[in-house]
Amino acid sequence: MIASKTWKRFGLFALLGWLLSWLVSCSPAPTTSASGELEFWTMQLQPQFTEYFNQAIADFEADNPEVKVRWVDVPWAEMERKILTAVSAKTAPDVVNLNPSFASQLATRNAWLDLEGKIPDEIRQQYLPKIWQASTIDNQSFGIPWYLTTRVTIYNQDLLKQAGISQPPTTYAELAEVAQQVKDKTGKYAFFVTFVPNDSSEVLESFVQMGVQLVDAEGKAAFNTPEGIAAFKYWVDLYQKGLLPREVLTQGHRNAIELYQGGETALLASGAEFLKTIETNAPDIAKVSATSPQITGKTGKKNVAVMNLVIPRDTNNPEEAVKFALFVTNTQNQLAFAQAANVLPSTIEAVEQYQAQLSSNPNASPVEQARAISASQLTEAEVLVPAMKDLNKLQAAIYENLQAAMLGEKEVEQAVADAAQMWDNLYVVRALALHHFNAGTTGKAGEAGEAGEAGEAGRDAPWRVWEQGERKLYL
């Protein structure tokens, strides 16, 4: 029943995705920004960084007097809806600030300008290579890296000391030992991590850190392996041993924050800047908090969150848009924004300069020490779950089956197999929809016989195939 309801919901997502694809490819193109004017969207950066952007835009316009930039800041919660609407109506801005995960969903539907051949290799090589890769699908670049954050481990020194632990864990193997020790000695939990399907991807990322391949080259499930089973078993064992709060199945990452600030957990995975929030909300906890590198698995991989700039395919000013995006993300401007916003830059030179500035301060505050740890992880950091179509559905398939195994409703091996099958079923439906859609659109309007009928059928194919697929595969 749970799987049926879930995949009915996914059916709606698939339909919306195909509708967007059709709108992107078939809608008439109204005029976007006027020639010589660039419209630039950012995500919730006003009013804190208004002065920074006004100066940066003025500098760009001074060097490019034929171009004017109109800056529009969009609230975080509204960006996805607004950009979906704008892209489908072909009224999107010329340059827009997104994250690779969401941008990739539109990249697979040809919404963004293909940057291959538009950015010289010598410029591309100025960016951290693993970070550039985060905005690439099928060897085609759709975005330019901008600012970054990497997780650190914030830990309660007093709680660890009470448990007889001198150093925070650095691997998942050590984390399991610490979880048992903290529970035994203090009665509290070492940490909280959510398994709510539409919340944090931290557990999904842990699979990659543990050496699990999520999908193969064709996009099919690749995690029904000994490594995948071991990753499932790791989390199931922690839950069934009582080393994770029961609320991990129902509460999101926000609960992890509340528990840490309340002194109920010893560890919190978050950004370096979150220490400031702890200082405000829980000053006593802040006083006993310190930071260490993020926890990883046998691969040693570290996660990084990326913000990038993308350029809609239908811009009237592609050359100017690329030029402006490269200006915003060049070393000088990245370093200036990193210092203003306390984020990390994504060009190699800017990272080196940023680290040098941090290390030159002998009296660094706890937040500055955390920033230094965060920056030190960049050389090995990457987007652990690469951009792919329907990533949210992959996470849901894995999390829902993890929950079933945690609750004893399934054996671990069955849960892994079911998660893989759920994902592959969706893959089959997408492939069928694409095949029928592509086959159908080859029919020409007004043509007699089978070709014309195929054309009519093809225009409806994504919706019809999904309905048939859902009944056949999931109900």
Side-chain angles (χ1 to χ4, degrees):
M1 180 61 70
I2 292 174
S4 174
K5 289 181 180 178
T6 299
W7 290 94
K8 285 180 181 178
R9 184 169 69 251
F10 286 178
L12 175 61
F13 290 153
L15 186 149
L16 290 173
W18 281 107
L19 176 61
L20 176 61
S21 179
W22 179 77
L23 286 169
V24 168
S25 60
C26 301
S27 298
T31 301
T32 54
S33 57
S35 181
E37 180 185 78
L38 295 178
E39 187 170 323
F40 172 44
W41 285 13
T42 57
M43 271 198 287
Q44 203 160 315
L45 295 177
Q46 289 182 359
Q48 188 173 359
F49 305 109
T50 298
E51 183 177 349
Y52 170 84
F53 282 103
N54 284 343
Q55 184 60 56
I57 289 169
D59 291 344
F60 178 81
E61 291 177 344
D63 292 338
N64 302 272
E66 74 285 0
V67 181
K68 296 297 179 185
V69 179
R70 181 157 60 93
W71 175 33
V72 178
D73 192 60
V74 179
W76 186 283
E78 296 179 19
M79 177 59 91
E80 291 191 8
R81 176 182 59 82
K82 283 183 176 291
I83 196 62
L84 284 170
T85 301
V87 166
S88 64
K90 298 188 183 291
T91 58
D94 300 282
V95 181
V96 59
N97 162 211
L98 295 173
N99 63 64
S101 178
F102 178 69
S104 69
Q105 297 177 40
L106 294 180
T108 59
R109 298 179 176 106
N110 201 28
W112 310 129
L113 188 69
D114 181 4
L115 299 178
E116 296 301 314
K118 294 182 172 58
I119 298 179
D121 286 344
E122 60 267 25
I123 293 179
R124 186 179 309 204
Q125 290 166 5
Q126 294 173 9
Y127 297 83
L128 293 163
K130 290 181 180 179
I131 305 305
W132 185 279
Q133 191 65 29
S135 297
T136 301
I137 291 181
D138 297 331
N139 296 319
Q140 291 188 319
S141 301
F142 61 84
I144 301 171
W146 190 10
Y147 62 93
L148 319 170
T149 59
T150 66
R151 283 197 304 263
V152 296
T153 301
I154 302 174
Y155 62 95
N156 185 316
Q157 299 174 89
D158 279 0
L159 266 182
L160 292 186
K161 185 177 180 180
Q162 290 173 34
I165 299 166
S166 58
Q167 294 293 330
T170 59
T171 67
Y172 286 108
E174 292 175 1
L175 177 62
E177 295 174 359
V178 166
Q180 186 69 65
Q181 205 165 335
V182 169
K183 186 69 172 176
D184 290 344
K185 299 288 187 178
T186 71
K188 296 184 177 182
Y189 295 102
F191 70 108
F192 179 102
V193 63
T194 181
F195 295 83
V196 174
N198 62 350
D199 204 271
S200 168
S201 61
E202 188 176 346
V203 170
L204 190 65
E205 291 162 359
S206 77
F207 277 48
V208 179
Q209 292 173 311
M210 293 178 188
V212 179
Q213 181 180 349
L214 295 175
V215 297
D216 62 20
E218 295 181 354
K220 295 181 180 179
F223 55 84
N224 190 2
T225 60
E227 293 81 7
I229 292 170
F232 261 69
K233 192 172 188 303
Y234 175 88
W235 293 112
V236 170
D237 285 350
L238 284 176
Y239 183 83
Q240 292 184 345
K241 290 177 180 177
L243 301 181
L244 289 173
R246 296 306 180 202
E247 292 78 16
V248 297
L249 304 184
T250 57
Q251 300 294 315
H253 181 70
R254 181 68 209 171
N255 200 50
I257 294 170
E258 292 171 354
L259 288 173
Y260 184 83
Q261 292 184 151
E264 295 302 316
T265 53
L267 307 166
L268 176 66
S270 189
E273 296 309 304
F274 193 72
L275 279 172
K276 291 183 177 179
T277 303
I278 299 173
E279 289 173 357
T280 300
N281 296 341
D284 289 342
I285 298 298
K287 290 175 184 176
V288 298
S289 291
T291 52
S292 62
Q294 67 177 261
I295 294 169
T296 186
K298 65 180 183 181
T299 64
K301 292 181 176 181
K302 306 286 179 66
N303 181 61
V304 62
V306 179
M307 279 292 176
N308 62 7
L309 296 181
V310 296
I311 299 164
R313 185 190 66 178
D314 296 309
T315 175
N316 288 335
N317 309 293
E319 292 183 7
E320 293 84 354
V322 170
K323 190 174 185 179
F324 179 70
L326 290 174
F327 172 81
V328 171
T329 63
N330 68 27
T331 290
Q332 179 181 345
N333 287 323
Q334 285 222 35
L335 187 59
F337 186 66
Q339 292 166 336
N342 294 322
V343 292
L344 301 175
S346 62
T347 70
I348 296 170
E349 185 178 353
V351 170
E352 291 172 350
Q353 293 182 31
Y354 184 79
Q355 288 180 299
Q357 291 172 359
L358 289 173
S359 63
S360 65
N361 182 3
N363 300 310
S365 68
V367 173
E368 290 169 332
Q369 293 172 22
R371 288 177 195 156
I373 291 172
S374 184
S376 70
Q377 300 177 140
L378 281 179
T379 54
E380 55 191 353
E382 60 187 277
V383 175
L384 294 176
V385 182
M388 69 177 78
K389 188 181 293 184
D390 296 322
L391 176 58
N392 58 330
K393 301 174 182 63
L394 175 63
Q395 179 169 311
I398 289 175
Y399 280 29
E400 289 184 2
N401 280 282
L402 262 172
Q403 287 199 20
M406 289 170 163
L407 294 171
E409 296 171 357
K410 296 180 181 181
E411 296 295 326
V412 167
E413 291 78 6
Q414 187 61 52
V416 176
D418 288 352
Q421 187 62 54
M422 287 173 72
W423 174 251
D424 285 345
N425 285 349
L426 178 63
Y427 176 89
V428 169
V429 171
R430 283 203 316 264
L432 286 171
L434 181 62
H435 170 75
H436 282 261
F437 183 70
N438 289 340
T441 53
T442 60
K444 296 180 180 178
E447 206 171 352
E450 293 181 4
E453 293 173 3
E456 291 303 312
R459 279 186 282 275
D460 286 56
W463 296 270
R464 183 180 300 117
V465 170
W466 176 264
E467 292 168 357
Q468 293 171 350
E470 184 180 41
R471 286 196 297 270
K472 180 178 180 182
L473 296 174
Y474 307 126
L475 298 183

